[in-house]
Amino acid sequence: MRLSPVHKIRNISPENFLETYLKPAKPVILEDFVSPNSPAFKNWNYEYFKEIAGEYKVNIFGSEIESLDRVASKPIGQSTFSEYLDLITSSPTEHRLFLFNLLSIKPELKNDIHYNDVTKGKIIKWLPFMFFGGEGSITRNHVDIDMSHVFITQFQGIKRIWLFPWEQSDLLYKLPYNFHSIANIKEPDYQEFPGLRYISGYEAIIKPGETLYIPSGWWHYIQYETEGYSVSIRALPSSLKEKWRGFKNLVLIRHFDNLMRNFFKEKWFDFKVRKAKRKANRAIKRQKSFQI
């Protein structure tokens, strides 16, 4: 596995961003996508969040190793938001929040973020998502089901994110009819998953104030180097192929997979794993033929 650092830029024009990064689907870290004068950088902190929303119940998610056969992991527990924030600030933990969107519960917080939009209006500012995690927590290697472009801005803590293009899906052992990989790329088992030897991607380390642009259809493996939180916004897929793929994932494939899993149980998962490994072996042969 080979990883190259993602470049950091600032003061880029919308025209230059679209031509250099969005259209060719190239990841980049934007140092000023969110204005440093945004009130969020001054006003947001854990004590403030506990004050305005600490009593809300949140579902807590942990390791995703046990849920490789599902589109999304099941929660491992529940607590108040205030209790969760106390947990992640007291010690390292793999616990994180998923689908708890503070910006929906308290929509006035959206006004605290001022964007320097380099997409010429393509970003969906009214639909942000917020993510919290403890030091050491991870989000499994996956592609977003809707195939949107993603802009993830760090507000607290540090994240390390590995990125891989869609074209390497077979080498990453994408689980058929799902949107994540069955291989552990952090501690790769090259004997069981030899395709991982041939993947190449990018590594981004984002700190508060920095925004990572993740192109449509790109794989991302997110690691919390420290506890922290981030906000992501999306831009709709650019090409007709990406739009169709996102529509198909949301409307057809997801429901088909749920139906087959409910009917065939473990046999369906075993079938998908075998299929993923067959596709990876074919991709390895293609890689070897290129090297001859």
Side-chain angles (χ1 to χ4, degrees), residues 80-204:
T80 66
F81 186 37
S82 182
E83 290 170 339
Y84 173 76
L85 294 179
D86 287 340
L87 171 67
I88 65 173
T89 54
S90 63
S91 62
T93 175
E94 66 180 10
H95 294 169
R96 59 190 177 82
L97 300 187
F98 175 64
L99 296 181
F100 172 73
N101 195 357
L102 182 60
L103 297 173
S104 295
I105 295 171
K106 299 291 181 180
E108 62 273 17
L109 293 178
K110 298 176 187 178
N111 299 325
D112 289 347
I113 306 175
H114 301 164
Y115 296 101
N116 296 318
D117 186 4
V118 293
T119 69
K120 289 189 173 182
K122 296 180 183 295
I123 59 172
I124 308 174
K125 295 182 182 180
W126 55 268
L127 190 61
F129 292 90
M130 202 166 187
F131 300 93
F132 292 81
E135 179 182 338
S137 60
I138 63 169
T139 302
R140 66 186 175 189
N141 195 26
H142 68 284
V143 293
D144 286 352
I145 188 172
D146 63 354
M147 305 300 287
S148 291
H149 302 277
V150 176
F151 296 80
I152 182 168
T153 302
Q154 195 71 10
F155 284 88
Q156 167 73 26
I158 301 172
K159 277 194 179 80
R160 183 184 304 269
I161 303 176
W162 293 349
L163 303 161
F164 306 93
W166 172 262
E167 291 74 19
Q168 295 187 23
S169 295
D170 290 346
L171 292 171
L172 286 165
Y173 296 85
K174 176 184 179 297
L175 190 65
Y177 311 105
N178 289 90
F179 315 101
H180 60 272
S181 165
I182 59 173
N184 181 350
I185 62 173
K186 181 72 172 182
E187 298 175 350
D189 182 341
Y190 291 121
Q191 185 170 355
E192 184 174 2
F193 301 108
L196 298 180
R197 296 182 184 274
Y198 299 91
I199 61 174
S200 59
Y202 291 90
E203 179 178 74

